[in-house]
Each structure stands twice: as structure tokens, then as C-alpha cells.
Amino acid sequence: MAKSSNKLNKQYFKLGVSIILLTWFLSNTNLSALFSLFKMLTLVNLLLALGLIAITFWISATKWQLLLPQYKLTNLLKLNVIATYYSLILPGQLFGEAVKVYYLGKGKQEIETIATSVVVDKITGLIGLLIVGTIGFYYSNLLLPVIFLWLLIIALLGLITILFMMNWFIKPLHKLLWKTKRYFKWLENIATQLERVSLAWLHYLRNSPVLFISVILGACFQLLTILAIVLLAIDLNIYLAFADWCWIFALVSIALLLPLTIAGIGIREGTFISLLGMLGVPIEQALALSLCVFGLNIVMGIVGGIMDFYHT
């Protein structure tokens, strides 16, 4: 009962933070100018942006299938869309990933492998994102704070370390788990599950071509998402080099990993406003772009909600 209460309190807290941040941004915005910007959006670019986002879901499913080749692409695609729905209604993107594990692993003995595939898939996707962001920063013609580059590089190296550290710890970990199962019978199930996770992780690490292709597909996913943002930005009269959109989107995506708000509301807007404002983009245009990006997520979330309703 106490745990449920704590979870509910955390959700209320995150909802409160979202409302406060969004209210703050709107109060510092010329609302008439903001609404005028939305009228500038063209149906063609909206549909093209939505089409690109739809393609990214197919790429994401293809990327996940590399790790789980025994599952149909259509099933993985459906779960990716459903996960978007839960990422919107629950506090934090990681809830969407957890839903994928639950739906795909329900009633299966290989749930540890499925959970590991989701984690590895997420990490390789983030590595692809950070590679795109780092390259974009390098080729930018703007005079930018070096701290942004260091943030991207440190995050990239950290994820690569996390991905491959199982190679370093696999033997002592298995020894520890073996002793745990022997001397602490009440922890035997947990130790066995952790052992299966480590073996699945090691299996993926030994398949270098799959990991390499997964990172490449992750980068392609990000590039198409950025292109969708560029289409919306053009309608809003925001003109930046594609390289700059790469590092901007990478930093926005990193910020969205913070589980502080519902569906990233407030954090997304604040990051877009801060980064674009630094480049001379008025707050109204930056906020309009952020809300448009969120709108694309809502559309895919609605599709995911419908799929979840009919999911069996």
C-alpha cells in the first residue's frame, strides 16, 4: 500500500513539474504570436514529417529484430508503437521500454533475453544518436560552447563502456551468483535470472556485426527524426544548418531521459527554448517547434493506444 502511494505521489510530482514549467514558458511567450506560427504550418510538411516518423518506427523494429530474429517484424513494430503510448501516459520513457518487455515476455521462459534485448537496443540507439550529435557539432559553422561537445562525448563513451563492461565482469559475476544460489536459497530465483541476463548480454556482445548494424540503424533513425523536425522548422521560419539540428536534437533527447516530468513536457520545451534561443531564435518559434514535435509523438501515441486496445 505504501509503495502504491509513493508511486502515485511521484506521478503527481512529475505532473506538477510539467504544469509549472509549461505555464512558465507560456507566461513568457506572446501567445498571439505563438498561435500565428501554428497557422504557418503546411499540411504537406506535416504529413511528410509524420511519414518520416512512421518510417523511424519501422527502422526501430528492424533494429530490434536483429537482437530477436525469432520474432516477426510486424509484432515488434506494433510493440514499439504501443510503447510510445505508454511513454506518453506514464512518467518517463523507460516505462515504454518496460511495456515492451512485459508484452513480449509474458508467459515466456526467455523473458530475461527479451529484457536484455530491449536494454541493448536502447543503448545502441542512444549511441547512434550521440554519434550523429557529435558529428553534427563538429561540422557546425557556429561558435558553440565546448561544454556541449564534452557532454556528447562523455555520454557516448559512457554508453559504450556500459555496453561492453559485461566482458570484464562476466566471470566474477557468475562466481558471485553461483555462491549466492548456494548459500542464500531465498535469492536463488533472482540470481538465476541475473545469470540469464548476463549470458544473453554476453551473447550480443560476441555478435559484433549485429551491434554495428544496430548502431548504424540507430543513427538512421535519428537522422530521419531530425529531418522531420527540419520540415516543421522551415514552416516556422527557423533556418539552421542540418549539422546544427543534429547536435540540438541529441541534447534534447539526452534531457528527455530525465524522469522529471510526464512525457517530457516542460523539459522538451525548456531545452528547445534554451538551445535555439542561444542561436537567436525567439521563444515563440522555439516553443512552437517543441509543441509540434510533441504533437507528432501524440499522434503516434494515439495510434499506439488504439493498437493496445485491440492487442491480444
Side-chain angles (χ1 to χ4, degrees), residues 185-261:
K185 294 297 183 180
W186 56 281
L187 289 175
E188 185 174 359
N189 289 337
I190 296 177
T192 300
Q193 289 176 335
L194 288 176
E195 189 174 40
R196 290 173 181 170
V197 167
S198 66
L199 290 173
W201 196 298
L202 191 62
H203 168 73
Y204 290 135
L205 291 186
R206 289 174 176 172
N207 199 339
S208 299
V210 166
L211 289 181
F212 178 76
I213 296 173
S214 185
V215 171
I216 295 299
L217 288 176
C220 291
F221 175 99
Q222 306 303 335
L223 289 171
L224 288 180
T225 304
I226 294 167
L227 185 55
I229 294 175
V230 171
L231 289 173
L232 298 175
I234 290 173
D235 279 350
L236 298 172
N237 288 333
I238 304 175
Y239 299 101
L240 296 174
F242 189 82
D244 290 310
W245 285 115
C246 289
W247 66 262
I248 289 172
F249 182 69
L251 291 177
V252 171
S253 298
I254 292 174
L256 286 175
L257 291 175
L258 298 173
L260 298 176
T261 63

Side-chain angles (χ1 to χ4, degrees), residues 66-295:
L66 290 173
L67 304 174
L68 294 174
Q70 67 271 35
Y71 290 93
K72 292 182 179 179
L73 180 64
T74 52
N75 290 341
L76 300 181
L77 176 60
K78 182 187 298 183
L79 287 178
N80 275 333
V81 180
I82 290 175
T84 303
Y85 165 66
Y86 282 98
S87 295
L88 286 174
I89 64 173
L90 296 175
Q93 293 183 6
L94 296 181
F95 278 94
E97 305 301 319
V99 166
K100 294 197 293 188
V101 176
Y102 172 76
Y103 274 145
L104 197 60
K106 186 168 54 177
K108 296 186 177 70
Q109 293 184 346
E110 57 180 0
I111 187 170
E112 293 86 4
T113 300
I114 293 171
T116 306
S117 75
V118 170
V119 175
V120 172
D121 181 57
K122 185 69 175 180
I123 292 175
T124 54
L126 289 173
I127 289 174
L129 164 73
L130 293 169
I131 289 174
V132 168
T134 304
I135 293 174
F137 191 98
Y138 178 81
Y139 282 102
S140 174
N141 293 322
L142 302 175
L143 186 61
L144 302 169
V146 181
I147 186 65
F148 290 165
L149 178 61
W150 280 112
L151 179 61
L152 292 170
I153 292 175
I154 290 172
L156 177 59
L157 294 177
L159 285 172
I160 292 174
T161 300
I162 291 172
L163 182 62
F164 287 97
M165 69 179 181
M166 189 60 69
N167 274 326
W168 310 329
F169 298 114
I170 188 69
K171 288 184 178 179
L173 176 62
H174 280 189
K175 187 175 181 180
L176 175 63
L177 293 174
W178 180 81
K179 288 184 177 180
T180 300
K181 289 192 291 185
R182 182 176 179 181
Y183 297 109
F184 303 97
K185 294 297 183 180
W186 56 281
L187 289 175
E188 185 174 359
N189 289 337
I190 296 177
T192 300
Q193 289 176 335
L194 288 176
E195 189 174 40
R196 290 173 181 170
V197 167
S198 66
L199 290 173
W201 196 298
L202 191 62
H203 168 73
Y204 290 135
L205 291 186
R206 289 174 176 172
N207 199 339
S208 299
V210 166
L211 289 181
F212 178 76
I213 296 173
S214 185
V215 171
I216 295 299
L217 288 176
C220 291
F221 175 99
Q222 306 303 335
L223 289 171
L224 288 180
T225 304
I226 294 167
L227 185 55
I229 294 175
V230 171
L231 289 173
L232 298 175
I234 290 173
D235 279 350
L236 298 172
N237 288 333
I238 304 175
Y239 299 101
L240 296 174
F242 189 82
D244 290 310
W245 285 115
C246 289
W247 66 262
I248 289 172
F249 182 69
L251 291 177
V252 171
S253 298
I254 292 174
L256 286 175
L257 291 175
L258 298 173
L260 298 176
T261 63
I262 300 292
I265 298 172
I267 290 181
R268 180 188 301 99
E269 287 68 35
T271 311
F272 266 117
I273 289 171
S274 300
L275 295 177
L276 293 177
M278 185 183 66
L279 304 181
V281 178
I283 185 174
E284 289 81 11
Q285 288 172 280
L287 183 56
L289 178 61
S290 178
L291 293 175
C292 286
V293 172
F294 183 48

